[in-house]
Amino acid sequence: MALIMETPVDALIKDEHETPKWKKSTVVFVLGGPGSGKGTQCANLVKHFSYTHFSAGDLLRAEIKSGSQFGAMIQSMIVDGRIVPSEITVKLLCKAMEESGDDKFLIDGFPRNEENRIVFENVAKIEPAFVLFFDCPEDELERRIMSRNQGREDDNIETIKKRFKVFVESTLPIISYYESKGKLRKINAAKPSEEVFEAVKVLFAS
Ligand code: UDP
Ligand code: MG
């Protein structure tokens, strides 16, 4: 059941008289290389704070499973470690936020490049409150991905190398952009998960 073309998001955006709840929401972007612990730490955060977590990668994988007309294209891009066209990812994110009925979101694994960032800003008209960055060296990330087994088609050494390259070339500039705006909160993610969470918690408690 692929709803991407029937999403009510477009209609909502055009409505100038009523602002839906999610359009006034607090958004925190969660970035970091593949295997840096974004999903793990977001799962920890929602247990302690009233945020709703959406992983852009998980939404894309769900879209493939739903039998979407874009499924084959999304799948081939993920297997190749490439970034899916922003229009698709942004629609999925806006639809998920709208349907949740909530107004505080952790968005993990997005924006991955400048196009992602600009399309989200233009469509959702939301600027992140801040951006969490899980900083971790590449050899540690590679070790973690190769030792986890989530049955993901992109967790093989060939795709991992491509994902690292895309991260350095496309996502690091976004991280620098938010740093220049004073919005970056950098966390040392090369430590045990519990220790990383202690550092993360502090940012949300204030
Ligand atoms: N992806 C994408 N746009 C996004 C998020 C994910 O195109 O906004 C694709 C991309 O191909 C990426 C893959 O989905 O390599 C897996 O992303 P995810 O965040 O799940 O994995 P991570 O790289 O954090 O391990
Ligand atoms: Mg993830």
Side-chain angles (χ1 to χ4, degrees):
M1 194 186 53
L3 292 175
I4 195 159
M5 299 310 285
E6 297 136 47
T7 167
V9 167
D10 296 325
L12 285 167
I13 287 156
K14 285 185 199 113
D15 189 344
E16 288 159 22
H17 305 291
E18 201 188 323
T19 310
K21 193 177 173 191
W22 71 271
K23 298 281 273 180
K24 290 183 270 180
S25 57
T26 302
V27 166
V28 174
F29 288 142
V30 182
L31 296 175
S36 59
K38 303 183 291 290
T40 305
Q41 298 301 339
C42 286
N44 288 336
L45 279 168
V46 298
K47 284 186 209 147
H48 291 78
F49 304 95
S50 59
Y51 275 82
T52 299
H53 168 219
F54 290 118
S55 151
D58 287 350
L59 291 174
L60 289 167
R61 285 183 283 272
E63 183 68 8
I64 298 171
K65 280 214 188 94
S66 76
S68 158
Q69 60 174 315
F70 301 112
M73 184 262 279
I74 297 171
Q75 168 139 16
S76 73
M77 297 197 84
I78 288 180
V79 170
D80 213 24
R82 290 163 65 203
I83 298 167
V84 172
S86 303
E87 200 193 323
I88 292 178
T89 316
V90 169
K91 267 193 180 166
L92 291 172
L93 284 168
C94 291
K95 183 166 162 277
M97 289 193 284
E98 197 228 333
E99 286 177 355
S100 73
D102 298 327
D103 63 0
K104 284 169 86 184
F105 302 101
L106 298 169
I107 297 186
D108 131 32
F110 179 95
R112 285 176 123 85
N113 62 9
E114 197 185 17
E115 190 205 50
N116 273 180
R117 177 180 70 73
I118 291 170
V119 173
F120 185 86
E121 271 174 21
N122 290 341
V123 175
K125 307 258 190 308
I126 299 170
E127 281 238 359
F130 61 91
V131 177
L132 257 185
F133 168 41
F134 291 118
D135 192 23
C136 191
E138 201 167 301
D139 55 353
E140 169 67 9
L141 296 178
E142 184 179 315
R143 196 188 59 71
R144 289 183 190 176
I145 300 173
M146 293 310 284
S147 61
R148 80 181 177 190
N149 188 359
Q150 299 179 335
R152 274 175 54 171
E153 277 185 294
D154 56 350
D155 281 354
N156 59 78
I157 194 68
E158 198 195 333
T159 307
I160 291 165
K161 295 287 183 199
K162 290 181 185 171
R163 284 157 68 195
F164 285 150
K165 191 163 182 281
V166 169
F167 177 72
V168 170
E169 287 175 358
S170 303
T171 313
L172 278 182
I174 298 303
I175 289 164
S176 303
Y177 169 84
Y178 285 120
E179 186 167 37
S180 75
K181 294 195 85 182
K183 290 206 165 177
L184 200 72
R185 307 290 180 268
K186 185 165 151 178
I187 300 282
N188 176 4
K191 293 196 284 188
S193 168
E194 304 74 38
E195 277 179 53
V196 175
F197 188 58
E198 288 306 311
V200 171
K201 239 171 31 188
V202 174
L203 296 172
F204 284 80
S206 60

